[in-house]
Amino acid sequence: MKATLPEKPSVIAPQSESSEKPDVENPFVDEWDRPIPLSEEENPFDLKDLEGLILPAAEPPQAESSGLLRKILLSPQMGIGALIALACLYTLTRPCVIGECQEIDRAQELARGARQTVETLPSSRAPGLAQKDLNGAIALVKTIPWWSPYHREARALLKDYRADEGELAMVVAALRMAGLAAQKSQNPPHEVEEWQEMERLWEDAIAQLQQVPPDSLIYPFAEGRLTGYRGNLAEVRGRLKLEREGERTLEMAKKTAQIAQARQGVAKGAESWQLVYDTWQSAANTLASIPAGTIAHQEAQLLLARYQPKLEAARDRKTIEQVGLEAYNRAVNNGDQARIFESREAWTEASRSWGRAVSFAKKVPQSSSYYLDSQELLPTYNQAWQRAELQAQVDSRVEKARADLRKTCAGAPKVCNYGISRDLITVRLTPEYVEKLKGTNPQQRNQAEQHVQTLKVALESISENAKIPLQVYMPDGKKIASHFPS
């Protein structure tokens, strides 16, 4: 004869939530989730099947217990009966088997509390608190065995609670990732890799929130957070873009500085030093363009401090080279102009040009690359200048003599005609003047002789001052006087 027993032996305890592994297809699969036997024939337990079971060892009897009692308790018949009694007792003492089901009432109360928390508490703690309440409700309905009359209701509640708890879990996970991303973003700037990690966290948090269905109790909360998270993701992406651009700009500045350093090593002359300066300036400008608030900006400031002295040195050298080139070119140009004046025997202009050429050649800075070239010009320019100066002095005397002759030969009638060169002054008395010298009476002739004597002294003085020999002729070409300066 078969006794009516539950499908499970009494030694099996309900599993805890931590050890539960729910089926993906049916989340409500549990040890107690089986149909109740409809008749004795379907009961898997049989008394004969229990005869071979070994009962657990009993506790040692008290000193006053009799040996007869020990034999009765340890007999096979008494062991089977005790096991059947315990199984029945376990079956009847499970939650919601007899009377009202307080577990379902408490679970529903916890579920209502979870919903109220989500609807009334705007804090980010709300999903976690609601999830805790739902987990409590799930734990309560899971204690209701399959043979309970409330089993079907518990099964439906468990399905709903697990669905809600899963949606809350997604929001809690999103909040956890958002909190980690926000923590990592503190005290910027950060490396590119760190911004990428923050970007991934915000993307994952948004993805979690987007999985919450519109009919979920946590959906309004999730939608409210999505707006902020998307803004944070956009901010992180913007900072990541700035950091990447800063890194590229920094590398470009470093390469430009390397080019400037190489050009500086071989620079010679104003043009090459101008190029060195421009390259250093380009490197500095590139560093200055890196946006603040980035790791690259911090390094850029350090590099700027290193590049600035090199930029200033290149600027000073460029200025020296430009001054040297300008002075050298002006010296050469004035020397070329002086030679042109010399070819025209314009010695005064030639002397002035040679003087300027010497002056500019001396202005070439000693530290300039044009200094040695200018020093090579100076001996030739100085000699040419001295030569032109002497010739200019001669021209000056000739011009003065010409002016003096013009004044001396003037009169009414005109006293004489003259010609002058660097080598000779010629004076020819006019017929009118000679005719006047003859006079008509002794007094006139005496005055004429005095005038001739004065003219002679004046002409000799002109010859002496000009250091040019003088020859005086009558109108007919007869030489009447000559003078050679001392």
Side-chain angles (χ1 to χ4, degrees):
M1 180 178 178
K2 296 182 179 179
T4 302
L5 293 174
E7 184 177 340
K8 291 184 181 180
S10 61
V11 295
I12 299 178
Q15 294 180 340
S16 66
E17 182 183 354
S18 61
S19 62
E20 176 194 357
K21 296 182 180 178
D23 193 300
V24 175
E25 298 294 331
N26 182 5
F28 202 75
V29 174
D30 224 316
E31 287 296 330
W32 46 271
D33 195 9
R34 299 177 183 175
I36 301 174
L38 302 177
S39 63
E40 290 185 357
E41 287 75 12
E42 295 174 343
N43 192 336
F45 288 93
D46 192 279
L47 293 177
K48 294 180 179 179
D49 296 332
L50 301 177
E51 291 179 355
L53 292 177
I54 300 175
L55 295 178
E59 293 183 0
Q62 299 293 330
E64 62 273 10
S65 300
S66 65
L68 178 61
L69 181 59
R70 186 183 301 113
K71 290 179 181 181
I72 294 172
L73 292 176
L74 295 179
S75 65
Q77 291 79 6
M78 288 301 295
I80 292 173
L83 182 60
I84 292 172
L86 289 174
C88 292
L89 180 62
Y90 174 81
T91 301
L92 295 174
T93 57
R94 291 298 83 202
C96 301
V97 174
I98 299 175
E100 297 180 355
C101 188
Q102 296 182 356
E103 281 72 10
I104 287 182
D105 293 340
R106 283 165 31 209
Q108 289 177 333
E109 183 179 353
L110 286 172
R112 286 192 297 272
R115 179 175 292 277
Q116 184 178 6
T117 298
V118 169
E119 292 175 350
T120 60
L121 185 63
S123 169
S124 59
R125 296 173 57 245
L129 295 173
Q131 184 187 28
K132 183 178 179 181
D133 287 342
L134 277 178
N135 282 330
I138 290 171
L140 285 171
V141 296
K142 284 177 63 178
T143 63
I144 302 173
W146 53 265
W147 56 83
S148 168
Y150 295 94
H151 173 260
R152 187 177 299 277
E153 182 182 0
R155 181 188 181 104
L157 290 175
L158 183 58
K159 182 178 179 180
D160 292 340
Y161 293 168
R162 277 179 168 166
D164 290 342
E165 192 278 335
E167 293 159 3
L168 286 169
M170 289 188 291
V171 175
V172 170
L175 290 170
R176 187 179 298 111
M177 287 182 283
L180 183 58
Q183 183 180 4
K184 287 180 175 292
S185 67
Q186 298 300 309
N187 302 318
H190 302 290
E191 300 285 352
V192 168
E193 294 74 14
E194 295 175 334
W195 287 117
Q196 289 175 329
E197 175 64 15
M198 286 179 253
E199 180 185 36
R200 185 191 63 78
L201 287 170
W202 284 117
E203 289 174 345
D204 291 347
I206 290 172
Q208 289 286 334
L209 294 180
Q210 288 175 334
Q211 295 181 49
V212 178
D215 59 350
S216 171
L217 65 93
I218 198 63
Y219 181 78
F221 181 92
E223 279 296 298
R225 293 288 166 159
L226 268 176
T227 302
Y229 288 7
R230 286 170 178 150
N232 292 339
L233 177 59
E235 176 68 19
V236 167
R237 285 175 174 170
R239 297 298 294 269
L240 176 59
K241 181 181 178 182
L242 282 179
E243 198 65 58
R244 284 172 172 163
E245 291 177 351
E247 282 188 351
R248 288 193 294 269
T249 306
L250 183 64
E251 288 303 314
M252 186 186 304
K254 289 179 179 179
K255 291 179 180 179
T256 304
Q258 291 174 353
I259 295 173
Q261 192 69 46
R263 287 175 174 173
Q264 183 172 320
V266 296
K268 184 179 181 181
E271 184 177 354
S272 58
W273 275 104
Q274 179 68 52
L275 184 59
V276 170
Y277 171 76
D278 290 342
T279 309
W280 277 118
Q281 186 67 65
S282 177
N285 291 342
T286 303
L287 290 175
S289 69
I290 296 176
T294 61
I295 294 292
H297 178 76
Q298 294 179 343
E299 186 174 353
Q301 298 307 302
L302 297 176
L303 289 177
L304 270 175
R306 289 170 51 193
Y307 292 171
Q308 194 64 33
K310 297 181 179 181
L311 174 64
E312 293 174 356
R315 180 195 59 203
D316 295 342
R317 183 60 185 271
K318 175 205 70 166
T319 302
I320 290 173
E321 291 297 332
Q322 287 177 340
V323 170
L325 176 61
E326 183 178 359
Y328 178 81
N329 286 338
R330 296 188 70 174
V332 171
N333 291 339
N334 276 279
D336 293 341
Q337 189 66 41
R339 292 187 179 93
I340 295 174
F341 285 131
E342 284 184 349
S343 66
R344 300 173 183 174
E345 294 188 352
W347 296 105
T348 300
E349 290 79 1
S351 175
R352 291 172 183 168
S353 294
W354 282 122
R356 288 194 294 268
V358 170
S359 176
F360 283 120
K362 290 181 178 179
K363 289 180 180 179
V364 175
Q366 189 171 357
S367 57
S368 169
S369 57
Y370 302 96
Y371 180 74
L372 294 179
D373 293 337
S374 66
Q375 293 303 300
E376 292 178 358
L377 295 177
L378 278 175
T380 302
Y381 283 11
N382 275 318
Q383 292 176 5
W385 186 22
Q386 292 174 3
R387 182 178 64 253
E389 183 67 21
L390 291 175
Q391 297 297 329
Q393 291 176 4
V394 172
D395 281 350
S396 177
R397 292 196 299 268
V398 169
E399 288 300 318
K400 187 175 185 311
R402 183 177 283 110
D404 291 342
L405 287 171
R406 186 183 306 115
K407 187 184 298 184
T408 300
C409 290
K414 187 177 181 180
V415 176
C416 56
N417 295 314
Y418 60 88
I420 184 171
S421 67
R422 288 171 166 271
D423 301 320
L424 181 64
I425 298 175
T426 59
V427 177
R428 186 182 296 271
L429 301 179
T430 64
E432 295 80 7
Y433 179 69
V434 172
E435 186 65 27
K436 184 179 178 179
L437 288 177
K438 293 179 180 180
T440 56
N441 53 58
Q443 184 178 1
Q444 289 179 336
R445 287 195 296 272
N446 184 42
Q447 290 176 350
E449 290 178 358
Q450 290 180 355
H451 190 275
V452 169
Q453 189 63 31
T454 302
L455 177 61
K456 178 182 177 182
V457 172
L459 291 175
E460 289 179 350
S461 176
I462 292 173
S463 173
E464 191 69 30
N465 291 334
K467 300 186 184 307
I468 301 174
L470 171 66
Q471 293 182 354
V472 183
Y473 295 91
M474 291 295 288
D476 58 2
K478 181 180 177 181
K479 183 189 294 186
I480 60 175
S482 61
H483 177 78
F484 295 93
S486 57

